[in-house]
Amino acid sequence: MNITIEYYLILSAFMFIVGVAGVLTRRNAIIVFMSIELMLNSANLTLVTFSSYLGNSIGQLFVFFVMTVAAAEAAVGLAIILAIFRNKLTLNIDEINILKW
């Protein structure tokens, strides 16, 4: 059974749309953070798909770089969210206004 490139791209687009919807509609910082990670993974899937389709391994190597940056971003992001929760006792991004004037 051969899965064509269109299925991977459709799955990637669906994952990205779900991520965008999560960022735009949800107010919980953890959910927004997970939605951003979902968008990063959909971009990775697209990179791997085109890399495999074109027979070039540069895209797959770039995915490893993106995954490394995403892991660092997740660690820093979760630390920031944890620090905000300890100070404000909420994860609702509408109630977190410490960066506003």
Side-chain angles (χ1 to χ4, degrees):
M1 183 172 148
N2 190 11
I3 301 174
T4 61
I5 188 172
E6 290 85 13
Y7 292 109
Y8 292 110
L9 294 177
I10 289 170
L11 176 64
S12 176
F14 177 74
M15 288 171 53
F16 193 84
I17 290 170
V18 169
V20 168
V23 168
L24 294 178
T25 60
R26 302 301 297 257
R27 300 289 96 196
N28 188 330
I30 296 290
I31 301 291
V32 170
F33 193 69
M34 288 175 28
S35 298
I36 292 171
E37 293 293 327
L38 188 63
M39 288 190 288
L40 278 174
N41 285 328
S42 71
N44 285 340
L45 180 61
T46 303
L47 284 172
V48 169
T49 300
F50 280 114
S51 174
S52 176
Y53 179 72
L54 298 174
N56 189 354
S57 63
I58 299 296
Q60 294 173 6
L61 292 175
F62 191 68
V63 166
F64 282 120
F65 177 73
V66 171
M67 288 171 61
T68 304
V69 172
E73 175 253 337
V76 171
L78 287 175
I80 290 171
I81 290 172
L82 184 62
I84 289 173
F85 180 74
R86 286 183 179 166
N87 286 334
K88 297 289 184 177
L89 297 178
T90 183
L91 289 177
N92 190 344
I93 57 176
D94 290 333
E95 297 175 7
I96 300 170
N97 58 0
I98 58 174
L99 295 179
K100 293 181 181 176
W101 289 93

